[in-house]
Amino acid sequence: DDVHGRGGVMIEGEVQRFLVGCALASLNLLYAREVVIRAKVPPGWVRLMLFLPCLASHVLFPANNFDPLKETMAAAVSFTNFGWWTNFKLMGLAFGRGQLVGKVGSPLMFLAAGALPIKEEGRGPKHGSGRRTRSASAAEAKVARDLSPSATLARACCRIPVLCTVIYAAPRLQVGSFALNLCYSFGLYAVLGFIFDIAGLVSSTVFSITLSPHFDKPFLSTSATNFWAKRWNLVAGTLLREVIYEPIIEGSMTALPSKGSKSRNPPKPSTARRLAATTACFLASGLAHEIIMWYMCGAREFGWEWTAFFTAQAPLCALEWFIKRQTKLRFPTPLAIVVFLTVQLTIAKFLFFPPVVRQGLDQRVINDVKRILGLP
């Protein structure tokens, strides 16, 4: 009972500090909104310079207020959400890009979109002449059902048994084995999914924000391109596209005018430019993950394996594109899924999982999840 009492006190302290982090992010976001609305600072480098104190505080607060060796999950969530995702949203706003641009008129919506790890529903072009097809309407209705508060809550609850299975299965599997790495992959999916589901539940019920799915059955991916662009962690993927990919494709950090300009429909980007943009996205993602790993391991080392793992995805996607374009080679869907998982888990075996095991991060995550869930 004494152990559970201390654990409860720790969790309460972590929640309080996380809420303080949310309050800090809210103040920073309101300041950024004032820079845009009242000061009327145009998109560009000057606006980014005015945002720099906010960006720095989002990194420094979790780094100085959470112990990653003892409060592993709270530290990881705080550092990743505020230090990476919220900061990327502010960087996008600095150059007139991203989902915060359309939220400056509503303070509450602006705060929710900026502080929570969510992906708002996209507003792409309509089919054909503006009419929605029956299949498109049916697909939209299905997405709406899947993202309803009740469905989101049910999905979050369903991830807990997955986590429990991973927690008790992992110690029985051989270190470095395909089975253990696959088990850890499901565990990572369950943890991230639970975080996004809770954030989505708050966004949809409190702020009435219409969301897009944050995952789309990633273990059914048929290629690396399909996995990273359409199925895995679409919160991070969207931010990387807005802050890294689109500026390179457009040749401008500041968003191009959307109306009344010849630059509205720029020339189709070359293959080399698309490859450079894709590589830059994966490199930025790798560096962000590397910094998170460095922080989570008590600032002990930069192993660069995570940077290499994510950067390696760029030539893999390019190879897939080349094969698809230059040959008629097509795998049946079940075989494509098996090939993709085998290739990814092979790369991960040498680059993603070794630093996790070497630094004991896997065991610390397992122990912390057990502590939070009150498991023996």
Side-chain angles (χ1 to χ4, degrees):
D1 291 340
D2 185 52
V3 172
H4 285 293
R6 289 199 302 270
V9 171
M10 284 185 63
I11 293 173
E12 183 179 351
E14 292 164 37
V15 171
Q16 290 175 350
R17 277 174 278 140
F18 182 78
L19 292 176
V20 172
C22 290
L24 174 64
S26 297
L27 290 175
N28 286 335
L29 287 164
L30 289 175
Y31 160 76
R33 182 173 176 271
E34 291 298 303
V35 168
V36 174
I37 291 183
R38 297 196 184 278
K40 300 186 184 302
V41 178
W45 293 100
V46 173
R47 187 188 284 186
L48 179 64
M49 293 294 292
L50 292 173
F51 288 176
L52 283 181
C54 306
L55 304 181
S57 67
H58 289 159
V59 174
L60 294 175
F61 178 83
N64 291 316
N65 287 276
F66 292 93
D67 184 351
L69 301 180
K70 296 179 180 179
E71 304 166 326
T72 307
M73 293 304 301
V77 171
S78 300
F79 194 82
T80 303
N81 183 55
F82 300 128
W84 180 9
W85 297 334
T86 296
N87 273 358
F88 262 48
K89 292 172 186 178
L90 283 173
M91 291 168 65
L93 179 65
F95 293 102
R97 300 180 179 276
Q99 61 182 333
L100 291 185
V101 173
K103 295 287 183 294
V104 292
S106 171
L108 287 179
M109 298 283 276
F110 186 81
L111 291 178
L116 294 173
I118 57 174
K119 178 180 181 291
E120 188 187 7
E121 182 183 39
R123 292 180 172 84
K126 295 181 179 180
H127 296 272
S129 61
R131 300 176 184 174
R132 292 188 300 173
T133 64
R134 182 178 299 176
S135 60
S137 298
E140 290 174 5
K142 182 180 182 301
V143 170
R145 289 194 302 271
D146 291 343
L147 293 174
S148 66
S150 58
T152 301
L153 180 60
R155 190 164 51 246
C157 293
C158 289
R159 300 193 195 277
I160 295 177
V162 176
L163 276 175
C164 294
T165 301
V166 171
I167 286 171
Y168 289 109
R172 294 167 173 79
L173 300 174
Q174 183 180 353
V175 175
S177 66
F178 181 92
L180 180 61
N181 292 344
L182 185 61
C183 184
Y184 281 164
S185 300
F186 274 103
L188 178 61
Y189 173 51
V191 168
L192 285 175
F194 183 83
I195 293 169
F196 291 147
D197 287 339
I198 296 302
L201 191 62
V202 173
S203 303
S204 59
T205 56
V206 178
F207 299 101
S208 300
I209 295 178
T210 304
L211 303 177
S212 288
H214 297 121
F215 288 99
D216 185 13
K217 304 179 182 68
F219 292 95
L220 297 181
S221 300
T222 55
S223 68
T225 304
N226 179 242
F227 178 80
W228 295 112
K230 297 181 179 181
R231 292 184 179 271
W232 180 261
N233 193 354
L234 300 179
V235 171
T238 299
L239 293 173
L240 288 165
R241 186 183 70 246
E242 293 168 350
V243 177
I244 306 294
Y245 187 86
E246 290 177 357
I248 295 176
I249 290 296
E250 297 173 3
S252 171
M253 282 299 299
T254 304
L256 297 177
S258 58
K259 295 181 179 180
S261 171
K262 295 180 180 180
S263 60
R264 182 180 181 182
N265 296 308
K268 184 178 179 180
S270 65
T271 299
R273 185 179 286 271
R274 290 200 300 270
L275 179 59
T278 301
T279 302
C281 280
F282 281 117
L283 176 60
S285 179
L287 291 172
H289 282 85
E290 195 73 49
I291 293 171
I292 293 169
M293 169 62 79
W294 173 77
Y295 163 69
M296 292 302 299
C297 295
R300 285 200 287 259
E301 70 167 279
F302 274 109
W304 301 110
E305 287 126 312
W306 276 16
T307 303
F309 171 80
F310 285 96
T311 306
Q313 303 300 317
L316 185 59
C317 291
L319 178 62
E320 290 174 350
W321 174 84
F322 178 81
I323 292 175
K324 184 177 181 180
R325 179 163 180 162
Q326 299 296 328
T327 74
K328 295 183 179 180
L329 180 63
R330 299 291 186 274
F331 290 137
T333 298
L335 180 58
I337 293 172
V338 171
V339 170
F340 163 74
L341 289 176
T342 301
V343 170
Q344 284 298 322
L345 286 171
T346 300
I347 298 174
K349 176 181 176 65
F350 295 101
L351 293 176
F352 189 88
F353 292 111
V356 174
V357 176
R358 185 173 65 246
Q359 295 289 349
L361 183 58
D362 53 342
Q363 292 304 314
R364 285 194 283 117
V365 169
I366 288 174
N367 292 336
D368 206 39
V369 172
K370 289 170 69 175
R371 175 181 67 87
I372 294 170
L373 296 178
L375 300 175

